[in-house]
Amino acid sequence: MKLILTNEVSGLGTPGDVVEVKDGYGRNYLIPRGYAMRWTRGAEKQIDTIRKARDAREIRDLGTAKEVAGQLGALRVRLATRAGESGRLFGSITTGDIAEAVKAAGGPIVDRRRIEIVNAIKSVGSHKVTVKLHPEVSASIDVEVVAG
């Protein structure tokens, strides 16, 4: 099945890429979640629009990515959220929450789709989060979750 990616899919490609995948993977996973759309001649014309939007969000070069990584590494991000007496959160911390907290802490604007949380953050304490800024550069952020 030939698809055009509309979102970044780990191990497959970035928005605007035309990929060939198994029928079931495309039909049951990528298309229903909005990660891809079927390839047609009409949809082929939309690829330029998708790529322009991706370029606007993307960090341009390796030097800029390293500079942003340095800013993120020096940043202490603190999130206040509701928690029970045992320190367990009501819900969990999302990538959107972390992106807003980085911005509020005076850091650079980070796209929430670039933030990777290995294990779901569901408790109070200090947690490590990775931000993929560039294919060759990723930054690590310390996120401190406090009850509030």
Side-chain angles (χ1 to χ4, degrees):
M1 173 181 272
K2 202 170 185 181
L3 298 173
I4 300 170
L5 295 177
T6 56
N7 286 326
E8 186 170 344
V9 179
S10 181
L12 195 57
T14 57
D17 290 349
V18 178
V19 295
E20 188 79 31
V21 297
K22 300 258 183 184
D23 291 345
Y25 182 53
R27 186 176 53 246
N28 297 326
Y29 182 74
L30 295 175
I31 294 173
R33 286 181 171 74
Y35 295 150
M37 56 196 243
R38 291 186 185 276
W39 180 89
T40 60
R41 285 192 202 114
E44 183 80 31
K45 295 175 185 171
Q46 294 179 354
I47 290 177
D48 290 332
T49 308
I50 293 170
R51 286 190 178 144
K52 285 179 186 175
R54 178 185 72 190
D55 289 342
R57 283 193 313 265
E58 200 171 80
I59 294 177
R60 296 280 183 263
D61 60 352
L62 188 62
T64 308
K66 287 182 179 178
E67 182 181 314
V68 171
Q71 291 174 357
L72 289 174
L75 200 63
R76 279 298 281 173
V77 178
R78 189 176 178 133
L79 272 163
T81 187
R82 291 183 47 208
E85 292 190 22
S86 63
R88 189 146 170 87
L89 302 181
F90 297 125
S92 64
I93 302 296
T94 63
T95 56
D97 296 334
I98 294 170
E100 288 177 22
V102 167
K103 186 178 173 186
I109 296 172
V110 178
D111 187 6
R112 67 176 176 78
R113 291 170 286 225
R114 301 255 179 223
I115 298 173
E116 294 179 350
I117 302 173
V118 178
N119 296 324
I121 300 175
K122 295 185 175 189
S123 62
V124 172
S126 184
H127 302 275
K128 278 240 186 265
V129 176
T130 305
V131 181
K132 286 199 159 259
L133 299 168
H134 190 269
E136 300 173 20
V137 179
S138 56
S140 184
I141 303 175
D142 288 322
V143 178
E144 186 179 342
V145 180
V146 294

